[in-house]
């Protein structure tokens, strides 16, 4: 058994994906992410969480469910790699597809996860065993928590992924 599942590491919060709807459930839909069909991960869209506040009836909410077998545009909200299988939660809200905003795990303030935003996605792993945990951070929040004498790592936290 591999210590860390690695195929899903290419997926991260804020990333746009295509997904194929597999089944309807009372709470939403299960999907497979196109290109990751054999990766051994589960993926879903919680339709009630995303749309129940904007619909006036359960029938109206059901009308928003994408048809089984259809492909949809989605954005990754969360990934859980704590234990197998990897679980991916997607959003299909139009606003999230334009710009996914989440909360910084350090300061709690909003942060844009979409390309061009100021978010860093941190995957923490133990050297003792499998599983990992994803944290979302503003660049400055991470940089402020790095020891002042480690200036190189502070500088990298402020610039990683930015075009030079």
């Amino acid at each position: 058994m591999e210590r860390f599942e690695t195929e899903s590491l290419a997926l991260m919060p804020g990333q746009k994906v295509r997904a194929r709807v597999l089944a309807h459930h009372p709470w939403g839909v299960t999907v497979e992410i196109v290109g990751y069909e054999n990766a051994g991960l589960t993926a879903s869209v919680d339709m009630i969480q995303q749309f129940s506040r904007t619909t006036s009836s359960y029938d109206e909410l059901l009308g928003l469910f994408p048809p089984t077998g259809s492909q949809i545009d989605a954005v990754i909200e969360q990934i859980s790699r704590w234990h197998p299988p990897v679980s991916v939660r997607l959003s299909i809200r139009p606003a999230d597809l334009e710009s996914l905003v989440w909360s910084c795990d350090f300061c709690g303030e909003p942060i844009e996860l979409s390309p061009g935003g100021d978010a860093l996605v941190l995957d923490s792993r133990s050297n003792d065993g499998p599983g990992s945990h994803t944290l979302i951070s503003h660049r400055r929040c991470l940089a402020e928590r790095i020891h002042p004498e480690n200036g190189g790592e502070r500088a990298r936290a402020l610039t990683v992924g930015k075009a030079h």
Side-chain angles (χ1 to χ4, degrees):
M1 179 174 141
E2 287 187 39
R3 199 161 139 226
F4 298 107
E5 176 279 330
T6 57
E7 193 167 358
S8 74
L9 291 177
L11 298 171
M12 58 191 309
Q15 179 181 348
K16 288 184 182 179
V17 296
R18 292 284 293 164
R20 185 174 299 105
V21 178
L22 299 177
H24 287 191
H25 301 277
W27 49 266
V29 296
T30 52
V31 300
E32 63 183 2
I33 298 173
V34 174
Y36 292 85
E37 294 89 343
N38 299 314
L41 55 86
T42 64
S44 62
V45 179
D46 186 333
M47 298 295 289
I48 289 178
Q49 183 267 330
Q50 289 186 26
F51 296 108
S52 66
R53 289 184 209 98
T54 61
T55 55
S56 59
S57 69
Y58 188 66
D59 288 338
E60 183 182 354
L61 175 64
L62 286 178
L64 295 176
F65 279 48
T68 302
S70 66
Q71 283 196 20
I72 57 175
D73 290 320
V75 63
I76 298 173
E77 272 189 333
Q78 296 176 300
I79 300 175
S80 174
R81 296 183 183 96
W82 193 253
H83 52 76
V86 171
S87 176
V88 181
R89 184 179 217 167
L90 302 174
S91 173
I92 61 171
R93 284 185 209 108
D96 290 346
L97 289 168
E98 287 296 316
S99 177
L100 181 65
V101 176
W102 206 252
S103 296
C104 174
D105 286 318
F106 290 116
C107 72
E109 295 296 317
I111 185 170
E112 185 180 342
L113 281 164
S114 301
D118 194 40
L120 292 177
V121 178
L122 312 168
D123 283 312
S124 60
R125 299 183 300 215
S126 168
N127 61 1
D128 291 343
S132 69
H133 177 66
T134 301
L135 297 165
I136 307 299
S137 173
H138 290 103
R139 293 173 185 280
R140 65 174 163 70
C141 288
L142 178 61
E144 289 169 358
R145 284 159 177 82
I146 297 173
H147 195 277
E149 290 180 12
N150 199 346
E153 291 304 322
R154 281 178 155 226
R156 281 184 274 284
L158 294 169
T159 60
V160 66
K162 289 189 172 185
H164 292 88

